[in-house]
Amino acid sequence: MLSYWERSSFIHHDLIIVGSGLVGLSTALHYQLAHPKKKVAVIERGLFPSGASTKNAGFVCFGSISELAENARTDSQDELLSLVEKRYKGGLELRQLLGDKHIDYCPVGGYELDFQGDLHERMFTFNDWLRPLFKRPVFSDARDNIPAFSFKQTIVKGLVKNQFEGSIDTGKMMDAFARKAREAGVQFYTQTEVLHYVEQTNGVEVAVSTAEGSLQLFTGQLALCTNAFTKALLPEADLEPGRGMVLVTKPLTWAPPQGTFHYHSGYNYFRNAGNRILLGGARHLDLKGETTTKEGVNALLEEQLIVDLKNFIAPDRPLEIDYAWSGIMAFGEGKAPLLLHPSSRVHAAVRLGGMGVALGTGLGKELAQRLRATTS
Ligand SMILES: Cc1cc2nc3c(=O)[nH]c(=O)nc-3n(C[C@H](O)[C@H](O)[C@H](O)COP(=O)(O)OP(=O)(O)OC[C@H]3O[C@@H](n4cnc5c(N)ncnc54)[C@H](O)[C@@H]3O)c2cc1C
């Protein structure tokens, strides 16, 4: 039963955003900053964001050589260049908005491991292609670093460095984002699931489920920032879920390599997280099994990641796996995210792929601008 006060203060909003991941937070913050008097609420079904934004590896990246080459199979050169630009500038935007010290940004560089030994020959083509954007060579030959990183030299035959990539502390980044949104005036409702919505002449009725039961909220505009889970609310959204898993070692007695590392066309990745190694990916080994919105650890992927760790990432080093987790991403035909406007009151910003850290802030800002344009 709702009180008079609850009915007058908590039910009606100007903007409700579903999902408190990076995109939801960016949309909320940018809209609220532009409209300080509007009532903005973010609704999240988890206690924390429970999709990808607090589960990811914290790479601020825009694509390794082999990943960009694979992307070129589905996207044209122009589309790809514009995507690289969005990813790169998106990373800069995130850093500028929250401040490097609040997100522990480290300009450690991005490295691609090369098992064939020919990657450094291909980097010249990619440097030429990216020169209009970066004005300097992006990739450089980093083979000399292989012994210092202690990789198995008979397996890791080459190493290419991307000087424009780095790492963040994902937890600190999401905490800083949420604090900023709260300071701006955004209201948060967690452990609240949006079940469905119905458009009316003067707004949108939003049915939510909470521990106390179900209730209806009302909003002038509704923004779905639900990424992989969007089809439950907007069945026509062109995306499918992709689960990703991550393992972390127990604290190490030796210094792990400092940097963000990729291999197998970006499907696999690892980095140091303090004095641990965090590694993940390998989704390509069971793409069908990982097309799911259910959390869980795929034993096949987990086993392969541990083999890689022991075989060539940290051979002959004492280490133990501490724990694993999963997160859910959203993918589609093209690599660009989707900004959808199914009606003048309902909008969606979704399908961030595996690079939402770089793309999420900009996409949320774009949605907020669009919402502002339609706000009376
Ligand atoms: C293991 C892993 C590693 C990754 N590593 C990187 C990386 O290193 N660098 C990088 O750039 N990207 C990485 N990503 C991708 C990146 O994390 C995502 O692209 C990004 O977080 C997507 O943000 P989002 O806000 O769109 O979605 P999400 O973070 O998934 O947020 C959507 C939110 O909506 C909520 N929600 C859904 N439905 C409802 C509902 N009906 N009611 C209420 N709430 C709802 C969910 O609980 C969720 O919190 C990784 C992803 C994973 C899973």
Side-chain angles (χ1 to χ4, degrees), residues 114 117-126 141 143 160:
D114 174 18
D118 61 356
L119 201 63
H120 59 281
E121 287 162 16
R122 294 168 70 196
M123 75 186 185
F124 298 106
T125 315
F126 282 82
D141 188 350
R143 275 176 293 180
V160 166

Side-chain angles (χ1 to χ4, degrees), residues 26-343:
S26 176
T27 307
L29 174 63
H30 284 103
Y31 184 87
Q32 186 78 83
L33 288 175
H35 291 283
K37 296 215 168 105
K38 296 276 184 193
K39 271 178 83 84
V40 179
V42 173
I43 298 184
E44 168 58 49
R45 67 176 173 194
L47 175 58
F48 313 125
S50 49
S53 296
T54 50
K55 314 284 189 188
N56 64 55
F59 285 33
V60 186
C61 55
F62 51 84
S64 59
I65 290 180
S66 61
E67 185 173 4
L68 292 171
E70 190 163 304
N71 290 174
R73 289 192 207 161
T74 48
D75 294 39
S76 71
Q77 281 232 352
D78 283 352
E79 282 170 336
L80 218 48
L81 198 61
S82 130
L83 193 59
V84 167
E85 182 172 12
K86 271 196 172 158
R87 287 169 176 170
Y88 176 60
K89 292 192 172 160
L92 294 178
E93 204 170 4
L94 172 76
R95 291 172 50 199
Q96 211 168 28
L97 185 68
L98 301 179
D100 284 353
K101 75 172 189 304
H102 294 121
I103 62 176
D104 267 5
Y105 177 75
C106 297
V108 283
Y111 295 86
E112 177 164 14
L113 275 62
D114 174 18
F115 304 118
Q116 314 300 329
D118 61 356
L119 201 63
H120 59 281
E121 287 162 16
R122 294 168 70 196
M123 75 186 185
F124 298 106
T125 315
F126 282 82
N127 279 340
D128 286 346
W129 175 58
L130 293 173
R131 198 174 298 275
L133 190 54
F134 293 91
K135 314 291 177 219
R136 284 174 285 163
V138 171
F139 301 104
S140 58
D141 188 350
R143 275 176 293 180
D144 289 352
N145 294 30
I146 296 175
F149 287 142
S150 297
F151 299 149
K152 182 89 166 180
Q153 294 183 53
T154 50
I155 297 179
V156 182
K157 297 183 180 134
L159 195 65
V160 166
K161 181 175 182 183
N162 177 336
Q163 62 163 318
F164 293 98
E165 294 188 341
S167 66
I168 55 161
D169 178 316
T170 291
K172 288 186 180 168
M173 179 268 292
M174 287 299 286
D175 188 36
F177 226 136
R179 279 170 197 270
K180 218 173 168 67
R182 271 196 194 92
E183 274 166 27
V186 174
Q187 175 76 263
F188 281 80
Y189 301 117
T190 66
Q191 293 182 286
T192 304
E193 180 167 15
V194 171
L195 302 175
H196 56 84
Y197 59 88
V198 181
E199 282 197 69
Q200 299 172 337
T201 42
N202 57 347
V204 186
E205 185 183 286
V206 182
V208 300
S209 163
T210 72
E212 291 83 41
S214 301
L215 83 153
Q216 318 292 327
L217 304 176
F218 296 90
T219 181
Q221 299 203 79
L222 181 69
L224 307 177
C225 298
T226 40
N227 206 30
F229 311 95
T230 304
K231 272 179 178 287
L233 297 170
L234 193 65
E236 67 268 30
D238 173 23
L239 57 83
E240 52 179 38
R243 186 169 63 187
M245 71 164 292
V246 178
L247 301 170
V248 70
T249 65
K250 288 187 174 167
L252 303 166
T253 52
W254 45 278
Q258 306 281 311
T260 60
F261 300 88
H262 317 247
Y263 58 99
H264 292 334
S265 306
Y267 276 111
N268 289 57
Y269 46 85
F270 63 96
R271 60 172 281 189
N272 73 297
N275 62 344
R276 300 171 187 242
I277 292 180
L278 183 153
L279 84 160
R283 210 168 49 85
H284 60 299
L285 298 180
D286 185 9
L287 279 177
K288 201 163 164 229
E290 294 301 288
T291 304
T292 175
T293 51
K294 287 200 180 73
E295 278 192 30
V297 169
N298 183 326
L300 172 78
L301 277 49
E302 183 179 30
E303 201 177 307
Q304 186 59 54
L305 288 170
I306 295 172
V307 166
D308 291 354
L309 184 59
K310 294 189 171 165
N311 264 2
F312 60 83
I313 297 171
D316 312 319
R317 294 281 205 174
L319 60 86
E320 275 181 85
I321 300 299
D322 201 353
Y323 53 91
W325 66 87
S326 69
I328 316 293
M329 297 168 272
F331 296 94
E333 259 305 290
K335 292 286 169 285
L338 293 177
L339 202 48
L340 303 171
H341 308 286
S343 78

